Amino acid sequence: MAVIHELDSHMADLIAAGEVVERPSSVCKELVENAIDAGATQITVELEHGGISYLRICDNGCGMSPEDAPVAFRRHATSKIRTREDLAAIGTLGFRGEALAAICAVSRVDLFTKQIGCVEGTHLSLEGGKITANEPAGCPEGTTFVIRDLFYNTPARMKFLKKDFTEAGYVLSVVEHAAESHPEIMFRCIRDGKDVFHSPGGGSLKNAVFSVFGKELSKNLIEMPEHELNGVKVWGYISKPHAPRANRTYQHFFVNGRFVKSKLIQAAMEEAYRNSMITGKYPYGCVCVQLPLSQVDVNVHPAKTEVKFAQEKQVFSAVYAACKNALAGDDNVPEIQAKPVRPAAAVPQEKAEQTVLSVPKTEVHEPAAPAVSAAPKAVSGGTMHHPPAYRATERPAPRSSGFLPFVDVDDRDEQALRMPHETKKPAKIDLFAPEMPKAQQPVQTEPVFAVPEAEAEKAVQSMPERTEPKQEEAEPLVPDLPSARVIGSCFETYILAEDADGLILIDKHAAHERMLFNQLREKADIPTQMLLAPVVVDLSGEEYAAVLDGMEQIQMLGFVMESFGQHSVAVREAPAYLDAGDIPVTVSEMAQKLMDRRTPVPDRLDDLIHTVSCKAAIKAGSKTSIQEMQSLCDRVLSDPAVTCCPHGRPVTVRLTKYELDKMFKRVNQ
């Protein structure tokens, strides 16, 4: 057995750094908490390269004296607690005295601090836990930490860091959580020279929540007034039941001004939404809990993000009652606001004069008739005047059913047969109109130019040579499809078809989703479309970082997007079969898939394809024509790869003729 010996102080600091300092966001969290404990009203966080090479935290707090500044970097040196009784009621964010020692052990640190009312401040420079400079300096009141070259002396930890955008997103999340928990403090975050976050301060939780959640999410938040039960106070903002999220990313919980991850508060909040929210979706919001310091233990996790309650049932009841009362006090009715249609994208509207004077081309040579009402009117002699045919501008065109991807781009001839609503209708003939005299009938005139006889003979001789290749190319346009005939649909969700063997039921959403999934997975000629106006999608700090980090994978799916302001992206090009209204939801869900770092990269790409194909596929319950259903049925039965959707649900179910006869007792059991 090896001899037991005591580790030196520097080795002990490195071990402590492994627990406290995981990434730049851990450094930012510890220093921001110290600034809050120092009574700061303005805190600025500036970072470069994700905070790995440069991180600056500046506050206007009380500052440190020249004597206390060097002592602050020693292990277990703190001004927050003094006796063991203080551990039973911790009212500050920091209290262990390990953070500064752990940070300076793995980085190069510069400290500028000055107490209020002092003439000069203090500058300390540390490298690897050792003080290399201690001198007076001119600096503003408060404390400024500059962290450079994080993990420079522990390169093994560098390989566990993510890309700069990802690490910057984690730092931004720390600043956002601090702004929500302390709305009286003004926060500012600068990333690579650009302002990415700003909280106005002033003590308004509403302004702080709006700064964090953004405009789109904030409009679906309802205020949760302060509610007290058994000594536990709860307040904040929670989402309406009709606006859920796909995950729990935006569930922010705070206990006595500290951001925590609590399964208890999470369960109480979601229990309040029971029977009022879609299964598999989650609410979001900012829930603040305040209770006596002796009723909560914060010294249970190195990062201090987990707490333990002495009376869990009381906390659960208080959070549940506050959320339930807030939901009951709001109407929770979704508001539908019609957005103005851009003139360039809309069909030109005719003026009143144009509507009166416009005449269809098929009625130019008909004799003028008096105006009649919309309903047919009987006249003498049994003759009935029919109303004129409606123009396309008088009645809106039917909405596309979403089956455009089912029609091949090369099958120009079949497209007219399978899409009857896109074909041109023949001119309407009024059988009751009086016959036009021959003198007034339009005469078909001969063309002005004439073709010489020699050239005409050459054209006739060359016609067979030019038509033969076209006939050869037209033969493959009629594939050998399975002989299944569509006879209708059920609940506008399932296609009913019959063949020689029996009845076939096809889930059109699952089938279309699988077809799109296979096409995206093969990455072969994904049809894309450039949007007339870019679609701006607001994301959280972590989602924004995940999107920028996985931009290469997103572009493989047919998206072209770029950064657009504070954690927002502008989508300029999207897959052609994806509706513009589904782009924000699709991008948001892709961001949430990319945030899951535990999933391998190939599986993560499949998750993105799942999301895009599911959103682009035709929805269950949408109406489709018999031709579109027949086209889908032919493609499903002819493609052996379309057996189940990407989620594993079956696409087709077959009921044989024997089973039908057996149900109706037409055959022996």
Side-chain angles (χ1 to χ4, degrees), residues 212-213 217 245 247-252 284-285 539-540 543:
V212 174
F213 285 87
L217 294 180
R245 299 284 293 176
N247 57 23
R248 299 183 175 95
T249 305
Y250 281 95
Q251 291 184 0
H252 299 168
Y284 63 93
L539 305 170
S540 65
E543 291 176 343

Side-chain angles (χ1 to χ4, degrees), residues 86-124:
D86 295 338
L87 291 174
I90 298 175
T92 57
L93 299 179
F95 55 90
R96 291 176 181 155
E98 291 184 341
L100 293 182
I103 292 171
C104 68
V106 292
S107 63
R108 297 183 174 93
V109 181
D110 282 309
L111 169 66
F112 299 89
T113 182
K114 178 184 175 182
Q115 288 184 320
I116 299 176
C118 293
V119 178
E120 62 181 11
T122 304
H123 169 232
L124 288 180

Side-chain angles (χ1 to χ4, degrees), residues 405 509-524 526 557 577 602-617 639 641-642 644-648:
H509 172 76
H512 193 193
E513 182 180 357
R514 186 68 194 195
M515 294 165 58
L516 296 177
F517 177 80
N518 293 342
Q519 183 181 5
L520 289 172
R521 204 173 188 185
E522 293 174 359
K523 305 171 190 154
I526 299 176
L557 306 180
Y577 37 74
D603 296 338
R604 200 181 305 155
L605 182 59
D606 281 353
D607 290 343
L608 298 181
I609 299 176
H610 284 177
T611 302
V612 176
S613 59
C614 182
K615 296 300 180 184
D639 191 352
V642 183
C644 63
C645 77
H647 302 93

Side-chain angles (χ1 to χ4, degrees), residues 210-231:
F210 183 86
S211 301
V212 174
F213 285 87
K215 179 181 178 181
E216 295 298 325
L217 294 180
S218 297
K219 67 182 181 181
N220 289 319
L221 290 175
I222 57 178
E223 184 179 2
M224 184 168 56
E226 183 176 316
H227 176 80
E228 184 175 358
L229 182 65
N230 299 325

Side-chain angles (χ1 to χ4, degrees), residues 185-252:
I185 302 177
M186 185 184 70
F187 286 88
R188 184 185 180 192
C189 185
I190 304 172
R191 183 183 60 205
D192 296 328
K194 297 181 180 179
D195 250 329
V196 295
F197 178 78
H198 182 268
S199 177
S204 174
L205 179 60
K206 181 178 181 180
N207 294 338
V209 170
F210 183 86
S211 301
V212 174
F213 285 87
K215 179 181 178 181
E216 295 298 325
L217 294 180
S218 297
K219 67 182 181 181
N220 289 319
L221 290 175
I222 57 178
E223 184 179 2
M224 184 168 56
E226 183 176 316
H227 176 80
E228 184 175 358
L229 182 65
N230 299 325
V232 181
K233 296 181 180 180
V234 183
W235 70 93
Y237 288 86
I238 57 177
S239 62
K240 296 182 178 181
H242 66 81
R245 299 284 293 176
N247 57 23
R248 299 183 175 95
T249 305
Y250 281 95
Q251 291 184 0
H252 299 168

